[in-house]
Amino acid sequence: MGAEDKFSNKAEEVKGKAKEGAGRLTDDERLEAEGRADQSKSHLKQAGEKLKDGAEKVKDAFKD
């Protein structure tokens, strides 16, 4: 996973946490739900990138 992707995914996660927190503070259920959705999307992207990294390692192991 590239550093740029890691940074982008982490930024999306942090943005989601901020939205969720703001939703809680303002009693805005929609904003809170958007924040949770942003975090979930970020976690899925991170998991996908980790799978790609793992596949690359396996592929490289068989090259030798």
Side-chain angles (χ1 to χ4, degrees), residues 41-61:
K41 188 166 68 168
S42 170
H43 290 148
L44 285 172
K45 286 180 182 179
Q46 290 175 27
E49 290 295 330
K50 287 179 182 179
L51 281 173
K52 284 197 281 186
D53 288 348
E56 280 295 317
K57 288 180 182 177
V58 169
K59 186 175 110 179
D60 290 344

Side-chain angles (χ1 to χ4, degrees), residues 9-64:
N9 291 337
K10 194 63 173 175
E12 187 171 14
E13 181 183 349
V14 170
K15 182 179 94 174
K17 285 182 182 185
K19 272 187 182 179
E20 183 181 9
R24 272 197 210 125
L25 288 173
T26 59
D27 203 28
D28 185 342
E29 291 178 8
R30 182 176 171 193
L31 186 60
E32 192 175 344
E34 280 181 31
R36 284 193 302 270
D38 287 348
Q39 289 176 69
S40 294
K41 188 166 68 168
S42 170
H43 290 148
L44 285 172
K45 286 180 182 179
Q46 290 175 27
E49 290 295 330
K50 287 179 182 179
L51 281 173
K52 284 197 281 186
D53 288 348
E56 280 295 317
K57 288 180 182 177
V58 169
K59 186 175 110 179
D60 290 344
F62 283 103
K63 284 184 179 179
D64 296 333

